[in-house]
Amino acid sequence: PASTAIARGQTLASVTALSPAMKSTLISAVFALLPATALGAKVTPTQQVITMLNEMKGKGEKMMDEEQKIFSTYAEWADDRSKELAFDIDDAAAKIEDLTSFISKADSDVATLGKEIEALDAEIDRLSAEKKEATEMRKEQHAEYVKVSTDYGESVDALERAIQVISAQHYDRPQAEALLQTMAKTVSGMPRVLAAFMQQNEAADQDGAPAVDAYETQSGGVLALLEGLLKKFKKELADVEEDESNQAHEFSLVELHLSDTIAKDTSDRDEKAVLKGEKAAASAKAKGELGETKKAKAADEKLKAEIEATFKAKKAVFEQNQQVRKMELEAITKAMEIISSPKVSASYAAHINFAQVEPASFLQMGRMHRRVSATQRVSELLAKRAKALNSKALAAMASRAAAAPNFSKVIDMVEQLIERLKQEAAAEAEHKAWCDEQLKANKLKRNKKMAQANQLTADIEGLTASIAEMGERIEVLLKEQKQLTEAMAEATALREKEHAENTKAIADATAGMDAVQQAIVVLKEFYESQAAFLQQQQVPELEEYKGMQSNKGGVVGMLEVIVSDFSRLKAETEASEKAAVAEYDAFMEESQTSKKQKHEEEVKLRLEKDQAEFEKSRTEKRLRATEEELAKANKYFEYLKPSCLEVHVNWEERVAKRNEEIEALKQAWNILDQKSQ
């Protein structure tokens, strides 16, 4: 009918969408399956079943392939996402560990600083109490000094006035005592002088010394006695003043030490209080970050578990579907083999189709003759075009068309072939689209993983360089600390030796000065005691010897020079010792500060080095994982190359040749279609 011819024309026109290889294969398959006795027969039910089974098989294979592609894409996504989440979880775990360690250390530092602050507060209170106590004691000592020094000063002044009066009035002893008693009533300090004078008089009376007037120069004289008292009081006043000076100096040193210690402890306490606040704030912040990190880690773990569980379930469904589809295709193939066997197709054609064949009329015989002629024309046309295009498919079809006595079955088979070629052409187009998509995604993934690998490699190289640099710096710091320790030990040994030498020199100078002063006192007392006898005339031929009075000035002067030398030596040694102590203390403080700074820098660098080594190991782990993913992407690219890139025939040439083959096939189909009417 005309509608059938139009449908066949539309079906043949659609063959332009198919590749030459697919069309050649399908045409060859049609003529191979077409029996010569069936060309003049109608389509049997067995042939229709085979056609349906072929369609089912093609559809099943297509669905199976599509399902594999979909699952492959999903499996790759699930694997990538699972690895990304695993990295995030590892990072979160490392961060949680770091934060936990930091919080523990910060809280420990806060507690330690709190105890140290309490200890410093107690120390400051103790030192402040000591300073207050020392200040009160110093006030009492100074008040006592003022009182005693005032008494001695008044006594010295009173003695000097008494000596002046007695020297001017030529008082004898009773008169001198009366004068002293009178002055004791009006002159401050005279009662002490009177008491001392009376005490020495009583001692002189007990010795049996006779009374003399005020100008007697013997030791028992009133004037000499008063001068002795004046000398004694001046010496005691000097001792009091020296004690006051020593006590004031000692208090200054104690006060300075306590004030400096209190100031240092207060400064340390304030620094520790600030540091404690900073540590507490950092701990609180870290605790907040720790809570957020734990929540994020739990969410990532949950999502990862869900993705893996879903993937496991879908994988099981996919494997089950693939098994079912495989079994279905095997069943369809087995059914086609059974139905296509001679036991079914030949028996059905011989016993059932035979009864349906009507006797041919003379008109039908004429038509058959014309159809045979048309078949020959088709065979010649296809052979000519096959030679021109070098097409094996057209050549095979031409040879089979020439051998066929009828072509009605050929038309039906061509229509089935065209439909199948359409499906294969669609599958080829879909495959090309899938290839383009997979190649693009694979290229993006390879580029991304390559960039990540390069970045991670650069990070590892940077960390390696930093670790080496920090290691070298740590070695330098250790060496410098060792040198400082040795220098401080050497300085301490030298200081101890110098201190021992200075102490001995000061002691020797003090001892020498005391000894020389004693010698001077002895000489002065002797020559003063003998000075009065120089005025008395003695027998010329036997003068009384009173000592080498003429040389006493030179000897005593020399001794006084020696005393001054010892005094200068003592002062210079004390000054040198004080300067050496200050220099030693400054050097030790500077060295200890430098050593402490270097030790703190060393500890900090060790912590940073440990952290860098940890980061390096973690980065190397991520690099290995990234390289594994890159290797998988490259392997998948190699898998895609044979089916998507390695095409031996240019796409444009394939399309042109296919169009020419289709045009030849359309011409042959038109010849057959015209003669079939």
Side-chain angles (χ1 to χ4, degrees):
S3 59
T4 303
I6 293 172
R8 290 174 177 174
Q10 293 175 346
T11 303
L12 183 60
S14 63
V15 80
T16 56
L18 304 177
S19 66
M22 294 171 64
K23 288 183 291 182
S24 300
T25 302
L26 187 53
I27 292 172
S28 300
V30 169
F31 282 99
L33 293 173
L34 184 63
T37 57
L39 292 174
K42 296 181 179 180
V43 178
T44 64
T46 56
Q47 293 171 342
Q48 291 179 353
V49 169
I50 292 173
T51 301
M52 293 174 64
L53 290 175
N54 271 325
E55 293 175 354
M56 290 174 62
K57 182 179 180 182
K59 185 176 180 181
E61 290 174 346
K62 178 181 178 182
M63 292 174 65
M64 187 175 182
D65 185 60
E66 289 178 351
E67 189 177 45
Q68 289 176 350
K69 292 177 180 178
I70 292 172
F71 183 78
S72 176
T73 302
Y74 167 69
E76 184 178 3
W77 173 84
D79 182 64
D80 291 344
R81 186 58 180 150
S82 180
K83 288 183 177 179
E84 289 176 0
L85 289 172
F87 284 138
D88 293 340
I89 291 170
D90 291 342
D91 291 341
K95 186 175 181 181
I96 288 172
E97 183 178 354
D98 292 342
L99 288 172
T100 302
S101 177
F102 176 80
I103 291 170
S104 177
K105 186 178 184 304
D107 291 343
S108 176
D109 291 343
V110 168
T112 302
L113 288 170
K115 293 179 180 179
E116 292 177 353
I117 290 172
E118 291 178 358
L120 286 172
D121 287 337
E123 181 69 10
I124 292 170
D125 292 340
R126 184 184 66 79
L127 293 175
S128 299
E130 288 184 4
K131 182 179 178 182
K132 182 179 179 181
E133 182 180 355
T135 303
E136 294 295 333
M137 183 181 295
R138 178 66 194 121
K139 288 180 179 179
E140 293 176 359
Q141 290 174 348
H142 183 67
E144 181 66 21
Y145 158 74
V146 171
K147 179 181 178 182
V148 173
S149 64
T150 301
D151 291 343
Y152 275 112
E154 291 175 349
S155 299
V156 169
D157 183 64
L159 274 172
E160 289 177 346
R161 290 171 62 185
I163 291 172
Q164 184 179 5
V165 172
I166 293 173
S167 299
Q169 299 298 328
H170 307 289
Y171 287 161
D172 57 9
R173 189 169 184 178
Q175 291 173 338
E177 292 179 358
L179 176 64
L180 293 176
Q181 291 176 355
T182 302
M183 292 179 68
K185 297 178 180 179
T186 59
V187 178
S188 299
M190 187 54 72
R192 177 193 294 269
V193 174
L194 179 60
F197 180 79
M198 297 301 294
Q199 184 179 3
Q200 288 199 7
N201 275 340
E202 292 176 358
D205 292 342
Q206 292 176 359
D207 292 339
V212 294
D213 61 2
Y215 278 95
E216 287 180 324
T217 58
Q218 62 184 4
S219 60
V222 175
L223 190 59
L225 184 61
L226 292 177
E227 289 177 349
L229 290 175
L230 177 60
K231 183 178 180 181
K232 176 184 177 185
F233 282 178
K234 283 184 177 181
K235 184 178 183 303
E236 290 179 355
L237 177 60
D239 291 341
V240 170
E241 290 177 347
E242 184 178 1
D243 291 342
E244 169 63 15
S245 177
N246 292 335
Q247 290 175 353
H249 180 66
E250 182 180 358
F251 172 74
S252 298
L253 294 177
V254 171
E255 183 185 31
L256 179 62
H257 172 70
L258 291 175
S259 298
D260 290 345
T261 305
I262 291 172
K264 179 65 169 57
D265 289 346
T266 303
S267 176
D268 292 345
R269 193 261 181 209
D270 293 340
E271 291 180 0
K272 291 181 183 296
V274 173
L275 183 59
K276 178 184 176 184
E278 293 176 352
K279 292 281 187 180
S283 177
K285 181 180 179 182
K287 288 176 181 177
E289 292 182 3
L290 178 62
E292 294 176 358
T293 305
K294 286 183 177 180
K295 290 181 181 178
K297 180 174 177 288
D300 289 342
E301 289 174 342
K302 181 180 179 182
L303 179 59
K304 183 174 180 291
E306 291 177 354
I307 290 175
E308 292 176 349
T310 303
F311 174 76
K312 185 177 181 181
K314 289 187 177 295
K315 182 180 180 182
V317 174
F318 167 74
E319 292 175 350
Q320 183 179 0
N321 289 347
Q322 289 290 300
Q323 183 65 24
V324 172
R325 292 183 188 280
K326 182 179 179 182
M327 293 171 62
E328 182 182 24
L329 291 174
E330 291 175 353
I332 291 173
T333 302
K334 186 66 175 177
M336 289 174 62
E337 292 176 356
I338 294 172
I339 295 174
S340 300
S341 65
K343 292 182 180 180
V344 178
S345 59
S347 176
Y348 190 88
H351 298 287
I352 299 177
N353 283 1
F354 179 78
Q356 296 176 353
V357 176
E358 298 178 355
S361 63
F362 288 104
L363 180 61
Q364 291 173 336
M365 293 298 292
R367 290 178 178 176
M368 183 171 292
H369 177 73
R370 290 193 299 270
R371 290 174 180 173
V372 171
S373 177
T375 301
Q376 292 176 352
R377 290 172 55 194
V378 167
S379 176
E380 292 174 357
L381 175 64
L382 293 177
K384 182 178 180 182
R385 297 301 298 165
K387 184 177 180 181
L389 297 175
N390 193 22
S391 173
K392 295 181 180 180
L394 292 181
M397 187 172 183
S399 61
R400 293 184 180 183
N406 202 322
F407 59 87
S408 59
K409 183 60 179 177
V410 175
I411 294 175
D412 293 335
M413 297 301 292
V414 167
E415 290 176 353
Q416 295 175 12
L417 179 61
I418 290 172
E419 182 63 25
R420 184 173 179 181
L421 290 176
K422 285 175 61 178
Q423 294 177 0
E424 291 183 359
E428 184 179 2
E430 182 180 359
H431 177 71
K432 186 177 185 303
W434 177 80
C435 283
D436 293 340
E437 179 184 358
Q438 293 298 312
L439 288 171
K440 180 180 179 181
N442 180 261
K443 182 179 181 180
L444 291 175
K445 184 174 182 179
R446 285 187 290 114
N447 292 339
K448 178 181 178 182
K449 296 303 177 183
M450 180 64 71
Q452 289 178 351
N454 292 336
Q455 182 61 45
L456 291 172
T457 302
D459 292 342
I460 291 172
E461 292 176 353
L463 289 170
T464 302
S466 298
I467 291 169
E469 183 178 353
M470 286 187 286
E472 293 176 357
R473 179 58 182 165
I474 289 172
E475 292 297 327
V476 171
L477 290 172
L478 289 173
K479 184 177 180 181
E480 291 177 350
Q481 291 179 68
K482 181 180 179 181
Q483 292 175 349
L484 284 172
T485 302
E486 293 175 351
M488 287 190 291
E490 183 179 357
T492 301
L494 292 175
R495 176 82 278 277
E496 291 175 351
K497 180 180 179 182
E498 184 180 16
H499 175 69
E501 293 176 352
N502 289 336
T503 301
K504 185 176 183 302
I506 292 171
D508 292 344
T510 303
M513 187 169 57
D514 292 341
V516 173
Q517 286 178 344
Q518 290 177 3
I520 291 173
V521 170
V522 170
L523 290 174
K524 282 186 176 181
E525 288 179 350
F526 173 76
Y527 287 118
E528 288 176 356
S529 65
Q530 298 299 322
F533 292 96
L534 293 177
Q535 299 177 359
Q536 299 178 2
Q537 296 294 327
Q538 303 294 334
V539 178
E541 65 275 11
L542 185 61
E543 296 181 354
E544 185 179 4
Y545 181 72
K546 301 298 181 179
M548 293 179 289
Q549 301 254 357
S550 61
N551 296 328
K552 72 170 185 177
V555 173
V556 172
M558 290 287 292
L559 292 175
E560 289 177 347
V561 171
I562 293 173
V563 169
S564 66
D565 289 341
F566 276 128
S567 177
R568 186 175 65 256
L569 173 62
K570 178 181 178 182
E572 291 177 353
T573 306
E574 288 177 345
S576 176
E577 173 68 12
K578 185 176 180 180
V581 168
E583 183 180 358
Y584 171 75
D585 291 341
F587 171 75
M588 292 298 291
E589 182 178 0
E590 181 181 356
S591 299
Q592 289 173 353
T593 302
S594 178
K595 183 179 179 181
K596 180 180 179 183
Q597 291 174 349
K598 294 181 184 299
H599 177 68
E600 291 175 350
E601 184 180 357
E602 175 205 346
V603 172
K604 182 180 179 182
L605 281 175
R606 286 187 183 278
L607 293 175
E608 292 177 354
K609 183 172 177 287
D610 292 341
Q611 181 65 27
E613 290 175 346
F614 172 74
E615 291 292 338
K616 180 184 175 183
S617 64
R618 187 166 62 177
T619 305
E620 289 174 341
K621 181 179 178 182
R622 297 187 68 173
L623 176 61
R624 289 193 294 271
T626 303
E627 289 176 343
E628 290 177 0
E629 293 183 5
L630 179 60
K632 289 182 179 179
N634 289 330
K635 183 178 180 181
Y636 187 60
F637 177 69
E638 294 298 327
Y639 166 76
L640 293 174
K641 284 171 65 176
S643 60
C644 296
L645 294 177
E646 295 178 358
V647 180
H648 301 288
V649 181
N650 184 273
W651 175 259
E652 288 75 11
E653 294 178 358
R654 289 172 59 192
V655 172
K657 185 176 180 181
R658 180 180 60 189
N659 290 337
E660 292 179 0
E661 288 178 338
I662 291 172
E663 184 62 29
L665 184 60
K666 288 171 65 177
Q667 293 177 10
W669 189 87
N670 288 331
I671 293 172
L672 294 173
D673 186 61
Q674 290 175 1
K675 297 304 179 180
S676 65
Q677 298 179 3

